[in-house]
Amino acid sequence: MRRPLPGAGPRARTALLATTALLAAALAAPAAATAATAADARGAADPLGAAGARAADAGTAGATLPFAPWEAEAGTPTGGAAVVALTAAPTTPYSSAALEASGHAYVHLAATGQGVRWTNGTGGPVSAVNVRESIPDSATGGGTTATLNLYVDGVFRQTLNLNSKQSWFYEGGDGHYNGSDQNAADGDPRDFFDEAHTFVTGAPIAPGSTVELRKDAANTAAYYDIDVLDAENPPPPAARPAGSLSITDCGAVAGTAPTNGSAAPDAVDSTAAIQSCIDQAQAQQRTLWIPPGTFYLRGTTGLTARDITIVGAGPWYSTVYRDVPLPNRTPLAALFNLTSTHVRGFHLDSNSTSREMVDGGGGAMDTTGTDWSADGIWSQHVESGYWASGTGGSVRNARVTAVWADGINVNNVSLGNSVGSDITADNNFVRGTGDDGMAVNSVNYNTDGNGNRTYYTPMARITMTHNTVVAPWGGKGIGVYGGSGHLVEHNLISDTARYIGLGAGRFGVNGSDLLGATLNANTVVRSGGNGYSQGQPALHVGNGGDGQNTGVVDHVTVTGNTVLNALYDGVGLSASTNTLMRGNTVTAPGRNGFVVAPPFYPAPTGSATLTDNTVTGLSAAGATAYRNNSPAFTVTASGNSWGSGTGSPEAPYGGSPAAIPGTVQAEDYDTGGPGTGYFVNTVNGTANGYRADGVDLEAVTDTGGGYGLGWTSGGQWQRYTVDVATAGTYTVTLRYAAPAAVTGALHLANGTGADLTGAVTLPATGDWQTWGDATARLTLPAGRQVLTLVQDTGGWNLNHLRFTGASTPPATDLAAGRPTTESSHADVYGSGNLTDGNRNSYWESANHALPQWVQVDLGTARQVSRAVLRLPAGWGARTQTLTLLGSIDGTAFTPLKSSAAYLFDPAADNTVTLAFPATQVRYVRVQVTGNTGWPAGQLSELQLWQQ
């Protein structure tokens, strides 16, 4: 989402129309599955429609813009041109032009005479246009150039110069997921669209006149995909401020040839002249003036300014263009590096062809300091539009289009600062970013090449309001990552290609915890995506994704948001606490409405309150308004459209728990419905006559007949309420069928999700109805409890589970008194405290230095199948992410339990039990990679048992 560290003037009447036009189009569009039909319906009317009757107000989501966006699919195709629209949610992680288009639709011009036409319904003249379009790449990559003709009222007016030099990346080779592979032979393309803007030749286009983009014989590209035309009537150039110092006074020279994906070859390098002028303006405390024209920075040096004001004639008139010799081997600072500086009214561009240094990928503005401001800046073809830290700054009225990484990234690291607080991003328009459109990016620490860490102050009170973010092709719409006190309100987010539309959580293992944010009255349209084949939700709160599943996400308030036509789930919740979701509306999601622990976003613990939320328009098979896939995530619900509670209460099937010792029939999972008694990815099964839901059940031909569980798939689960007669260790025999062997097929967990058996492998039986037995061991307390059958890998059927042979675990802790070693310890908290028999003494690793480990030496190889980990009984709850490793020789370690997050809860005696298949080991190591309670590994006891 981020690159590595190294007041507007008068507006035309279209400003009053643009926000409501975008929002009206967003509200009108249906889900992806019916996108083609919707495009036809929208094309029947003026794209601005009734929007012209009202202006944006404080309650409208999105920015008030100086242009009217005319979607191509809302225009009229001519000459046989066709609308191409996304017709279903993606089933692969790869992209397409329809997926990356705004509205998830565009018009395809493939033959001479084909075009797309709109009527100027702005109520005012149009004197400038900006076109988001795509033409083919060259056969070997690197782009092409072509022209396209513009007609007004059917009469040729001018030629537009287009190129594909700064678009088209490929993913089919070495998996360059972030977008830098420009070798067309690798296949699986992405980043299809670029943007080109120009003044209209001749008289402005009058209200009611038609505008057409048409492919004529002279327009030689194989095809033209037209996404949107921004119609605008820019004000005249702003006048030079009185007393200002012009960059031309210092020798800067404007180029005269227009750029078209690369710099004019004979343009003068004005870098030194502009920097000299900046230095003079600082010394003289004068405003710096950038007059109309394109001024070039040729090379790798950026401009640095402090404590001054820099003003241009307007983004349509004053341009600073960076021309980097390619390929580039020199580290690039941003085009502008600004401290406590005010900038407004100009355009930034460059010849970079990706976000990578070798391709000239440097940022537009790196900003820090106090009370800085950026107003009315248009950034294109740079790594990021804004990379901004400091205190009291603001980004307003920006236009960020066709950039390689983040549009507006507010952080606490830019230009070596360590704080980011009280920064506002308001009324900005961001479209076509290669990473997050906008982001709050609170970094906890960064590590240099020598392993040294620099820590930063968590960010606070960042405000993002009335922004419009459209069609990011490589990131979220808006991401809130860490810090506290943030407000994200009245924003319009639409048409993400790969990822979540609006998300609140923590980014990366080095990110700050998120300890408070409000997401209010935002509109999220046609968002979510299948990045990494995850089927991501449109709106998401919690950990997961973004490289990690650790850290704290706490007290996020989500109120009054509207989620329309999500490609997959409308709202997802993963590991997080004290989330409040109130008064949100989800309409026509591609999958489910609200989901706790959606696929690939686990919620091993957490809590949320869901109140007065509404879900309508469910249409997918098996879709539900609400689903909780995590038994350990607590949801308090009331007043929601799906009922006052969270579904039917869980209960044993048939009314009585199954007895242990005894047999538990696989088909007798608990009642309560999806997310309560069971979770399945797809609804199959043929045994509806046995129980009404009939989920994944079928008749079996095994001895005794009856029914069993089929259509197994990774991530599914069933819960069974049982009554255990005697505490002890049991053997569970699984009666199963599998045509081929399945490694790590399943495991049994308790009601909180703790793994009891470890991964169980099922040897091949040869057929779906050829039955065999597999066994595992688990330790159970006495009494009524819930067991969860977790399907880790599919490819098997299950008839029943038979529990036999309770035995009392041995009274001897194999680790008691044994020697220990460690990776580090803090103060007096050494590893010997783990085996000294004193619950109140403990090991604590070096702080702020995870991962860390501690291990015990049993003296000789012993059979071990259970580890008990404890913290002092009086400590508060915390979740530690742990891996349990074993070794015979103390050198080669293999996992006994894979990395997972475990809750140490005083309500459960601050004890975590890890069961696994019996293994011969001499050394047992606990590796800690995360801890929500303290930035170190912490344990007071490590016990090891044979059973």
Side-chain angles (χ1 to χ4, degrees):
M1 63 157 282
R2 59 210 61 165
R3 56 193 175 86
L5 292 176
R11 297 176 182 270
R13 184 172 183 271
T14 52
L16 300 179
L17 306 177
T19 293
T20 47
L22 274 172
L23 186 54
L27 294 171
T34 57
T37 303
D40 295 340
R42 290 198 302 271
D46 188 311
L48 296 178
R54 59 187 176 91
D57 58 33
T60 301
T64 298
L65 304 172
F67 58 87
W70 296 350
E71 290 290 339
E73 66 272 21
T76 302
T78 61
V83 172
V84 179
L86 192 69
T87 57
T91 58
T92 76
Y94 298 110
S95 197
S96 69
L99 189 61
E100 294 185 8
S102 60
H104 287 328
Y106 61 91
V107 171
H108 183 65
L109 316 181
T112 299
Q114 292 185 349
V116 56
R117 184 174 63 239
W118 305 266
T119 298
N120 178 10
T122 66
V126 172
S127 60
V129 295
N130 178 69
V131 181
R132 188 171 194 247
E133 44 67 36
S134 174
I135 64 173
D137 195 4
S138 66
T140 57
T144 61
T145 60
T147 60
L148 182 63
N149 289 343
L150 183 147
Y151 288 76
V152 177
D153 292 329
V155 177
F156 173 78
R157 179 65 70 89
Q158 69 192 90
T159 293
L160 307 182
N161 293 313
L162 310 178
N163 76 86
S164 56
K165 298 176 184 178
Q166 295 179 294
S167 54
W168 292 90
F169 300 125
Y170 300 90
E171 301 181 80
D174 296 326
H176 296 87
Y177 217 101
N178 282 329
S180 61
D181 181 356
Q182 298 166 60
N183 180 12
D186 286 340
D188 294 318
R190 69 187 301 195
D191 185 25
F192 299 89
F193 293 97
D194 196 7
E195 304 202 9
H197 62 275
T198 184
F199 283 100
V200 174
T201 301
I205 302 165
S209 291
T210 62
V211 180
E212 182 179 1
L213 298 178
R214 184 189 302 171
K215 174 177 165 56
D216 291 329
N219 306 137
T220 56
Y223 62 81
Y224 299 79
D225 291 338
I226 309 301
D227 182 26
V228 62
L229 181 148
D230 300 331
E232 188 167 355
N233 187 30
R240 176 178 176 176
S244 64
L245 181 63
S246 173
I247 61 173
T248 57
D249 296 339
C250 303
V253 177
T256 57
T259 60
N260 188 27
S262 57
D266 58 350
V268 174
D269 179 17
S270 293
T271 306
I274 298 174
Q275 186 62 60
S276 175
C277 233
I278 290 173
D279 297 342
Q280 293 177 51
Q282 291 174 175
Q284 301 167 24
Q285 296 185 346
R286 298 169 66 185
T287 295
L288 184 72
W289 168 244
I290 303 176
T294 299
F295 297 90
Y296 284 87
L297 309 183
R298 311 204 76 157
T300 58
T301 302
L303 301 170
T304 301
R306 176 184 291 269
D307 296 312
I308 63 170
T309 297
I310 304 174
V311 179
W316 279 91
Y317 306 104
S318 302
T319 296
V320 179
Y321 188 101
R322 183 181 227 174
D323 178 20
V324 179
L326 302 179
N328 173 54
R329 306 296 180 190
T330 303
L332 288 165
L335 199 157
F336 274 96
N337 300 274
L338 306 172
T339 301
S340 303
T341 293
H342 303 279
V343 295
R344 71 173 185 267
F346 52 90
H347 178 234
L348 300 176
D349 204 345
S350 88
N351 68 324
S352 60
T353 57
S354 88
R355 67 190 291 165
E356 302 298 334
M357 183 182 75
V358 67
D359 295 322
M365 284 190 174
D366 279 9
T367 301
T368 193
T370 59
D371 299 324
W372 54 265
S373 68
D375 195 340
I377 306 296
W378 188 352
S379 304
Q380 292 186 284
H381 307 122
V382 290
E383 185 174 1
S384 59
Y386 299 86
W387 187 259
S389 67
T391 303
S394 65
V395 181
R396 291 189 167 94
N397 308 312
R399 199 183 307 193
V400 183
T401 57
V403 299
W404 310 122
D406 291 8
I408 300 172
N409 186 301
V410 180
N411 58 66
N412 56 347
V413 294
S414 178
L415 293 180
N417 209 331
S418 62
V419 297
S421 63
D422 301 293
I423 298 172
T424 298
D426 177 67
N427 203 64
N428 301 293
F429 177 81
V430 180
R431 181 172 60 203
T433 58
D435 219 312
D436 293 346
M438 299 179 69
V440 178
N441 171 16
S442 186
V443 180
N444 181 22
Y445 66 85
N446 278 315
T447 306
D448 65 19
N450 296 319
N452 301 310
R453 288 186 176 178
T454 300
Y455 286 88
Y456 306 91
T457 303
M459 295 177 68
R461 300 176 301 279
I462 306 303
T463 299
M464 292 183 169
T465 58
H466 288 290
N467 302 288
T468 296
V469 179
V470 182
W473 52 266
K476 293 183 177 71
I478 296 180
V480 181
Y481 307 108
S484 63
H486 309 315
L487 175 63
V488 178
E489 186 173 55
H490 296 303
N491 300 288
L492 171 61
I493 302 160
S494 72
D495 305 304
T496 57
R498 293 289 186 86
Y499 305 107
I500 291 160
L502 175 58
R506 177 180 133 163
F507 190 93
V509 294
N510 66 323
S512 302
D513 292 333
L514 180 60
L515 302 178
T518 298
L519 314 181
N520 180 60
N522 302 285
T523 299
V524 184
V525 187
R526 294 181 298 270
S527 293
N530 205 33
Y532 301 100
S533 298
Q534 291 180 344
Q536 299 183 13
L539 191 157
H540 172 256
V541 175
N543 275 327
D546 297 323
Q548 51 82 47
N549 286 299
T550 63
V552 175
V553 178
D554 185 52
H555 280 99
V556 176
T557 298
V558 185
T559 55
N561 299 281
T562 301
V563 179
L564 299 168
N565 310 136
L567 294 187
Y568 302 95
D569 298 320
V571 177
L573 279 162
S574 60
S576 53
T577 51
N578 300 306
T579 301
L580 171 63
M581 289 197 164
R582 182 178 62 230
N584 303 286
T585 300
V586 175
T587 302
R591 199 159 57 189
N592 303 297
F594 288 74
V595 182
V596 177
F600 302 98
Y601 288 82
T605 61
S607 62
T609 298
L610 274 62
T611 303
D612 300 329
N613 300 289
T614 301
V615 177
T616 60
L618 295 172
S619 60
T624 182
Y626 169 80
R627 174 172 290 164
N628 186 346
N629 297 327
S630 173
F633 191 102
T634 302
V635 174
T636 302
S638 64
N640 301 295
S641 65
W642 57 86
S644 60
T646 59
S648 301
E650 181 176 4
Y653 184 73
S656 299
I660 291 180
T663 299
V664 177
Q665 297 293 334
E667 65 270 27
D668 290 345
Y669 51 82
D670 285 354
T671 60
T676 301
Y678 67 89
F679 169 67
V680 294
N681 296 319
T682 57
V683 178
N684 299 297
T686 56
N688 293 313
Y690 178 71
R691 56 186 300 178
D693 47 39
V695 173
D696 291 358
L697 302 183
E698 63 180 348
V700 301
T701 61
D702 195 15
T703 301
Y707 300 96
L709 183 67
W711 291 277
T712 52
S713 176
Q716 299 187 156
W717 49 262
Q718 285 76 28
R719 285 165 61 95
Y720 302 86
T721 299
V722 298
D723 191 354
V724 179
T726 304
T729 300
Y730 289 81
T731 297
V732 57
T733 301
L734 301 112
R735 187 66 172 170
Y736 76 98
V742 184
T743 301
L746 60 94
H747 71 274
L748 290 178
N750 64 17
T752 67
D755 189 343
L756 300 178
T757 61
V760 178
T761 293
L762 301 178
T765 65
D767 187 75
W768 293 110
Q769 291 291 337
T770 300
W771 298 88
D773 294 327
T775 61
R777 301 269 288 175
L778 74 167
T779 300
L780 300 172
R784 183 164 173 160
Q785 57 201 277
V786 171
L787 298 179
T788 305
L789 173 71
V790 181
Q791 302 177 26
D792 297 308
T793 305
W796 44 274
N797 292 342
L798 184 67
N799 189 356
H800 59 246
L801 307 90
R802 188 171 69 255
F803 293 83
T804 57
S807 62
T808 303
T812 302
D813 168 19
L814 301 179
R818 298 303 308 172
T820 62
T821 52
E822 63 195 17
S823 57
S824 68
H825 71 267
D827 201 11
V828 298
Y829 307 114
S831 62
N833 292 333
L834 267 67
T835 60
D836 64 358
N838 181 359
R839 176 73 178 273
N840 293 317
S841 67
Y842 61 92
W843 165 74
E844 181 176 301
S845 73
N847 291 187
H848 300 290
L850 295 174
Q852 296 287 328
W853 58 264
V854 64
Q855 73 184 39
V856 62
D857 177 4
L858 300 181
T860 186
R862 304 289 298 271
Q863 179 172 288
V864 179
S865 65
R866 184 166 55 97
V868 177
L869 312 179
R870 285 180 169 174
L871 291 175
W875 282 20
R878 68 204 60 210
T879 297
Q880 296 194 70
T881 303
L882 311 171
T883 306
L884 191 69
L885 303 160
S887 174
I888 294 293
D889 58 8
T891 301
F893 283 84
T894 58
L896 302 174
K897 293 287 289 186
S898 299
S899 178
Y902 296 96
L903 174 65
F904 290 81
D905 189 344
D909 195 34
N910 270 334
T911 298
V912 169
T913 299
L914 306 180
F916 46 91
T919 307
Q920 291 288 119
V921 292
R922 173 176 172 176
Y923 302 90
V924 175
R925 174 180 293 185
V926 179
Q927 181 166 292
V928 184
T929 57
N931 186 347
T932 63
W934 194 255
Q938 296 174 312
L939 290 174
S940 67
E941 289 189 358
L942 169 57
Q943 301 176 356
L944 298 172
W945 306 87
Q946 286 184 339
Q947 295 182 320

